[in-house]
Amino acid sequence: MTEIKKAFPKFDFTQGEVLLLNKPYKWTSFDVVGKIRNSFKPLKLKVGHAGTLDPLATGLLIICTGKLTKQIDIYQAEEKEYTGTFTLGATTPSYDLETEIDQTFDLSNLTEAQILENCEHFIGDLDQFPPAHSAIKVDGERLYLKARRGEEVALKTRKVTIKEFEITRLELPEVDFRVVCSKGTYIRSLAKDFGEKLNNGAYLSRLKRTRSGNFKIEDAFEIMELVNHIREIKREEDFK
């Protein structure tokens, strides 16, 4: 079967473009920004992302170029949608797969009804503790750097809103979910809290951002697909 290539619009990168990209697994958001920025060389162009994705997450990353980098805060503030998997019966210090399991729990007494009903406790306005292994700055330093040194930091709760939260597959120890939430919501923290509410444990084992505002993952480019296109049009006179 012949592969159908995605059609590219006529870009004006200097005036500003909003680029939708599918962030690969284990890439940082800064890795993606750097790859796009380097593809413009020798042209020096402002490039930034509108909302960090953890390295172990995949999915929609919004990249702004040129004059539209001034609107990054607007795009970053929009509602997000994620899909992913919680693994029940264990916890990790980072609340995901970045660190090793530190505690295990018995799942034999957990029922499907209990797990499904548990979702109701996490819909609405919540006070959420961010993970110690996060990019939040405390005293000018990222929290994950302090956590990796074994330093304990008194974390403060943040107000977040979860609009929708549903279980889409339940095959213990795995629980697949879909969540629609406000800016600043940590799905890793949601995993931890979800397990604790069940008097058990849970960590985030898979995460994909599927929507941000009106932007959807279905409309995103693969990184190298876009980079190669940029390199091609750089040779044209109307490249901006």
Side-chain angles (χ1 to χ4, degrees):
M1 183 179 293
T2 304
E3 183 179 354
I4 299 175
K5 292 185 177 180
K6 186 173 291 186
F8 288 93
K10 187 174 179 62
F11 292 120
D12 187 337
F13 295 110
T14 303
Q15 283 299 314
E17 294 289 348
V18 176
L19 305 173
L20 308 183
L21 292 170
N22 182 19
K23 189 191 84 64
Y25 184 64
K26 291 192 175 179
W27 282 49
T28 68
S29 301
F30 186 75
D31 287 338
V32 178
V33 170
K35 195 73 174 179
I36 300 300
R37 183 184 290 124
N38 288 338
S39 70
F40 290 123
K41 288 182 176 178
L43 179 66
K44 293 182 179 179
L45 194 63
K46 286 185 177 180
V47 181
H49 68 77
T52 302
L53 270 177
D54 288 337
L56 300 186
T58 63
L60 182 63
L61 187 68
I62 299 174
I63 300 290
C64 296
T65 75
K67 296 178 181 178
L68 280 184
T69 55
K70 295 178 180 178
Q71 297 187 29
I72 280 177
D73 288 346
I74 296 174
Y75 296 125
Q76 193 166 327
E78 294 185 315
E79 177 182 270
K80 310 291 191 297
E81 179 185 72
Y82 298 91
T83 60
T85 303
F86 296 156
T87 297
L88 299 184
T91 59
T92 73
S94 60
Y95 310 163
D96 66 2
L97 290 169
E98 182 186 341
T99 54
E100 298 293 327
I101 289 172
D102 61 356
Q103 195 172 3
T104 58
F105 300 81
D106 182 14
L107 292 174
S108 60
N109 292 324
L110 271 184
T111 67
E112 180 175 324
Q114 286 174 319
I115 294 169
L116 294 176
E117 290 170 3
N118 198 34
C119 293
E120 298 174 7
H121 300 289
F122 298 96
I123 296 176
D125 297 328
L126 306 173
D127 291 316
Q128 185 186 72
F129 282 102
H133 290 252
S134 67
I136 295 172
K137 283 188 175 181
V138 173
D139 298 328
E141 187 178 31
R142 303 289 185 187
L143 271 178
Y144 63 80
L145 296 175
K146 295 177 180 291
R148 288 170 185 170
R149 293 197 300 267
E151 297 179 21
E152 292 189 8
V153 178
L155 300 175
K156 297 181 180 179
T157 60
R158 294 151 57 112
K159 294 284 185 181
V160 300
T161 301
I162 295 181
K163 183 178 177 182
E164 299 176 39
F165 181 33
E166 62 173 341
I167 302 302
T168 57
R169 181 182 69 95
L170 206 171
E171 294 182 24
L172 290 178
E174 293 186 344
V175 177
D176 288 358
F177 64 87
R178 184 185 71 88
V179 63
V180 177
C181 56
S182 64
K183 168 194 172 183
T185 303
Y186 275 95
I187 309 302
R188 284 184 286 152
S189 293
L190 178 61
K192 172 184 175 290
D193 295 342
F194 189 84
E196 287 183 349
K197 195 69 176 177
L198 290 168
N199 294 315
N200 205 276
Y203 62 88
L204 182 65
S205 50
R206 184 180 64 85
L207 184 66
K208 181 178 183 178
R209 183 189 287 159
T210 53
R211 180 173 63 82
S212 181
N214 293 322
F215 299 117
K216 298 180 179 180
I217 186 61
E218 291 84 358
D219 300 318
F221 296 110
E222 299 301 323
I223 292 175
M224 292 312 301
E225 178 185 30
L226 180 60
V227 165
N228 290 333
H229 178 70
I230 293 172
R231 287 171 177 167
E232 288 177 11
I233 64 175
K234 272 200 303 188
R235 294 187 290 269
E236 299 178 9
E237 290 184 4
D238 60 352
F239 178 75
K240 298 179 180 180

